[in-house]
Amino acid sequence: MTNETLQKLKSGYTFDAQTLDLGVALSEDVPDKDTPISIPLSMLNRHGLVAGATGTGKTVTLQVLAEQLSRAGVPVFASDIKGDLSGIGAAGEASEKLNKRLEASGQEWRSSANPTEFYTLGDSGLGTPLRATVTSFGPILLSKVLELNDTQESVLSLVFHYADTAGLALLDLSDLRAVLNFLTSDEGKADLEDIGGASKATVGVILRKISELSAQGGDVFFGEPEFDTADLLRLDDNGAGIVSVLELQKLNQSPALFSTFLMWLLADLFQDLPEVGDADKPSLVFFFDEAHLLFADASKAFLQSVTQTVRLIRSKGVGVFFVTQTPKDVPDDVLAQLGSRIQHQLRAHTPNDAKALKSTVQTFPKSDYDLEELLTSLGIGEAIVTVMDPEGAPTPVAPTRMRAPESQMGPMSEDEIKAAVAASPQHEKYGTAIDNESAREILTKRLEAGSEAHDEEQAATDKIAFPEDSAQVSRSGSGSRSSSGSKQKEDDSMFSKVVQSSAFKQFTRTAVREITRGIFGTSRRRR
C-alpha cells in the first residue's frame, strides 16, 4: 500500500463526531498503527452488514461493536447462535497471543465486562424465557414460520381478522387450533362463510403445520407473559447500554421460528418507538445473526414487509446489522439499505463459492485493490471495511486488522449465566408462564353452551312427543335448567354471545377497543 493510499484512508476515516473503533488499516499485511479505521456513532442507524466464511471472526467483530456501543450508552440486542457471545458479560483475560496482537495494532486495551441480559426462546436454554402471543405475532410472520403458501397465508389472515373482530384472544397455538377447528365445525361454518370461506383441505394443512411447530418448541414459545420490547432499550445505573443476548443454540429445531421472532421484535419496536430523526447516536443497535434463515423460502408479502421495516426503522433510531456469510444471502432491496460493510474472508473452493465471491466484490465501492484476491487472502480477524460517513457517502475501501474485544472471548460458563439470570429482575418478570383465558377456553364454553341448549331443545321435543317419558327424565336430573335461560341461549347469535362473554374481558385486559395491525399484520400494544 502506497503512502498516498494510506493518506487517503486517514482522510476518509477522520471524523469530527464520536466514533467506534473498528481497527487499523493493513498495509501489505502489516497493521498501520497510524491509520485507524472507525465508524461514526451517528451512522449506526443506517444499518450494516457483517459477512464472512465460518471461523473468520464475524462473532468477534459483533462483540467489538456491541461492547463499544454499550459504553457509549447505546443498548444492544444480539442473537447468539453458537453461544460464544455470552463472554461479553465477563471481563477479558490477557494472554501472550493477545498481547502480540495489541502491540502490532497499537491498541490500548483494558479488561472489562458489560452489563448483559441473557434470554432464550421459550424454555429452550439458560436465559430468561421470551414469549410472544399468536395475536401479536400476526398472520404474515406466522405464515413464514409455518411455511404456508400464498393461499394458505390468505386463509390465516382471514382467521386472524375473525379472531380480532370476535374478541378471541390468540395467546398460544392451542388457541389458534381451537378457532380453526370451530370455523370448520357445524357450529362455526356460517361464520367461516361470512369471512370468505376456506376449504377443509386448506385448514387441514394449516392445522398440520401448527402441530409440527408445536413439536419443534412453538408450544412453549407462544404464550404469556409476552416480552415487552421496551426492555431492550434500558441503560444500567452508570448509563451504559444493556447488551441483550438471545441464546439460539437450538436453532436447528425450528430455524424459521427463531429468525422470524427476531423480525417480530423489530416490527414491534417500529410500531412503538417515536420518530427521532438524525440523532447523535442510535436508540438501539440490533444484530441479526444467521440472516439467511430469515429470507429462505420467504413469501413476496413477507419480503416486502422486511424491506419496508428496515427502510423505515432507522427514523426511530434503530440500527440493524445483518450477520451472514455473503451479501447474496440478503435480498437486493434490503442490501441496498445497508450503509456499512465489514466483510471477512471468503473462500472460493467451489464454482458456487467463486460466484458468491464475484457478487460480493460488486457490492463494494470502486477501489485500487484486487478485491477478489484480497478477500480470499485475509486472515482471521481481518476484514474489508467501508462505512457511511456523516455526509452519507461511502468511505474508501479499507483492508483492516480488526480491534480485539476487551470482554471475554468465548462463552461464559453455564453456572455464571445461570447466576446472572437468577439475579435479573427480567427473570422475575418473564420467567413463569401465565395461562389467561383465551380463545380455547371461550370456544369450549361456547360449544358446551350450544350442546346444553341442544339437549334442552331435544328434551322439550321429547316432552311433546312422549310426555310421560320426558317427565321422568326431567325428574332424574334435568329439571333444574331454566326454560327462560334456554330461550335466551337460543335467541343469542354466535357473534353476540362471543362479544358478551369474551370481548369485554379481552379488551379490559389489553386496554384496547380493537387490534390495530402494522406492517407485518402484527398487533400494536398500548403501553
Side-chain angles (χ1 to χ4, degrees):
M1 186 181 295
T2 65
N3 288 334
E4 182 181 354
T5 303
L6 282 174
Q7 188 57 46
K8 183 179 179 181
L9 292 180
K10 288 179 184 179
S11 175
Y13 287 89
T14 299
F15 309 111
D16 294 332
Q18 186 177 359
T19 63
L20 303 184
D21 294 331
L22 298 178
V24 296
L26 282 169
S27 178
E28 305 299 332
D29 297 331
V30 177
D32 187 278
K33 300 178 183 179
D34 299 324
T35 311
I37 305 299
S38 59
I39 180 172
L41 181 61
S42 62
M43 303 308 289
L44 266 293
N45 70 336
R46 301 300 180 96
H47 312 320
L49 176 74
V50 179
T54 302
T56 57
K58 297 191 299 295
T59 300
V60 175
T61 291
L62 192 162
Q63 186 172 344
V64 164
L65 291 171
E67 64 183 19
Q68 291 184 82
L69 284 165
S70 175
R71 290 169 203 157
V74 178
V76 173
F77 173 88
S79 51
D80 187 14
I81 303 300
K82 300 181 293 295
D84 295 343
L85 192 59
S86 62
I88 198 169
E93 295 184 3
S95 66
E96 184 177 349
K97 181 178 179 181
L98 175 62
N99 289 337
K100 287 182 179 180
R101 186 179 183 91
L102 297 173
E103 183 179 356
S105 300
Q107 177 184 338
E108 295 183 6
W109 187 87
R110 178 175 59 87
S111 173
S112 60
N114 302 276
T116 307
E117 288 281 359
F118 297 101
Y119 297 104
T120 190
L121 291 192
D123 57 1
S124 61
L126 302 175
T128 296
L130 297 189
R131 301 177 184 86
T133 64
V134 171
T135 286
S136 70
F137 217 67
I140 297 177
L141 289 176
L142 189 58
S143 294
K144 172 67 167 63
V145 174
L146 296 174
E147 300 177 344
L148 303 183
N149 62 30
D150 291 343
T151 300
Q152 294 156 359
E153 181 177 327
S154 297
V155 171
L156 190 63
S157 295
L158 290 174
V159 171
F160 269 76
H161 173 71
Y162 169 80
D164 291 351
T165 303
L168 294 171
L170 303 177
L171 302 184
D172 55 30
L173 292 179
S174 65
D175 292 322
L176 184 56
R177 276 195 295 263
V179 173
L180 287 165
N181 285 324
F182 175 79
L183 289 174
T184 53
S185 69
D186 292 339
E187 292 83 357
K189 61 183 180 182
D191 292 72
L192 182 60
E193 292 175 2
D194 288 343
I195 62 173
S199 70
K200 284 195 174 183
T202 299
V203 174
V205 171
I206 297 174
L207 285 168
R208 187 174 69 250
K209 293 283 189 178
I210 292 172
S211 296
E212 292 173 359
L213 180 60
S214 294
Q216 295 168 355
D219 56 337
V220 294
F221 163 67
F222 286 105
E224 291 186 311
E226 183 171 76
F227 183 65
D228 185 346
T229 49
D231 286 335
L232 298 178
L233 305 174
R234 295 175 301 125
L235 307 178
D236 73 359
D237 294 339
N238 297 317
I242 301 291
V243 181
S244 299
V245 176
L246 177 62
E247 176 192 353
L248 295 176
Q249 294 186 58
K250 295 186 179 181
L251 184 70
N252 60 324
Q253 291 183 5
S254 185
L257 172 60
F258 294 161
S259 60
T260 309
F261 170 73
L262 301 185
M263 205 66 230
W264 174 81
L265 290 176
L266 279 181
D268 196 71
L269 286 165
F270 174 77
Q271 291 183 95
D272 288 330
L273 290 176
E275 297 281 340
V276 297
D278 294 325
D280 293 335
K281 62 183 181 181
S283 307
L284 172 74
V285 176
F286 195 102
F287 291 95
F288 208 129
D289 205 357
E290 297 293 336
H292 68 282
L293 296 172
L294 178 68
F295 304 108
D297 302 319
S299 69
K300 184 177 180 180
F302 180 84
L303 291 176
Q304 288 175 342
S305 298
V306 172
T307 303
Q308 188 176 3
T309 302
V310 173
R311 180 186 299 119
L312 298 177
I313 202 170
R314 77 172 184 84
S315 66
K316 306 294 184 86
V318 177
V320 183
F321 274 69
F322 293 95
V323 184
T324 189
Q325 294 206 359
T326 71
K328 73 180 183 65
D329 294 334
V330 180
D332 289 346
D333 288 344
V334 176
L335 192 63
Q337 300 175 57
L338 309 184
S340 298
R341 309 287 175 86
I342 302 174
Q343 178 68 59
H344 289 269
Q345 183 196 91
L346 285 176
R347 299 171 184 131
H349 300 320
T350 69
N352 285 338
D353 290 343
K355 185 177 180 180
L357 176 61
K358 289 182 181 294
S359 297
T360 299
V361 170
Q362 293 172 1
T363 66
F364 280 89
K366 291 183 179 180
S367 70
D368 298 330
Y369 304 106
D370 182 347
L371 288 181
E372 284 193 38
E373 179 180 350
L374 190 56
L375 283 169
T376 56
S377 61
L378 292 170
I380 296 173
E382 297 176 350
I384 303 298
V385 172
T386 180
V387 303
M388 190 174 284
D389 69 20
E391 303 300 320
T395 56
V397 174
T400 305
R401 172 70 61 84
M402 299 300 292
R403 177 184 175 89
E406 296 180 350
S407 52
Q408 177 178 306
M409 291 180 63
M412 292 171 58
S413 70
E414 288 193 6
D415 288 342
E416 289 174 318
I417 295 175
K418 287 178 180 178
V421 170
S424 170
Q426 293 296 96
H427 192 263
E428 181 178 353
K429 183 176 182 180
Y430 298 113
T432 303
I434 301 172
D435 187 14
N436 285 310
E437 183 183 58
S438 53
R440 183 183 72 252
E441 292 85 1
I442 292 168
L443 290 174
T444 297
K445 291 179 182 177
R446 170 68 183 143
L447 292 173
E448 288 175 350
S451 176
E452 193 173 294
H454 174 76
D455 290 345
E456 292 180 358
E457 182 180 354
Q458 185 64 45
T461 302
D462 291 345
K463 185 175 182 180
I464 295 173
F466 310 102
E468 294 182 2
D469 292 343
S470 59
Q472 184 176 355
V473 170
S474 178
R475 287 193 299 271
S476 65
S478 300
S480 62
R481 294 173 182 165
S482 166
S483 61
S484 61
S486 175
K487 184 177 185 305
Q488 180 63 40
K489 290 186 177 68
E490 292 170 3
D491 290 342
D492 283 344
S493 67
M494 182 272 169
F495 179 79
S496 65
K497 280 189 177 182
V498 170
V499 171
Q500 291 168 11
S501 65
S502 67
F504 175 77
K505 296 177 184 178
Q506 171 63 8
F507 293 164
T508 300
R509 181 152 55 88
T510 58
V512 297
R513 290 186 177 273
E514 62 181 64
I515 295 177
T516 304
R517 296 199 172 274
I519 291 177
F520 283 96
T522 51
S523 69
R524 181 185 179 91
R525 290 174 292 177
R526 303 291 195 268
R527 296 193 172 96

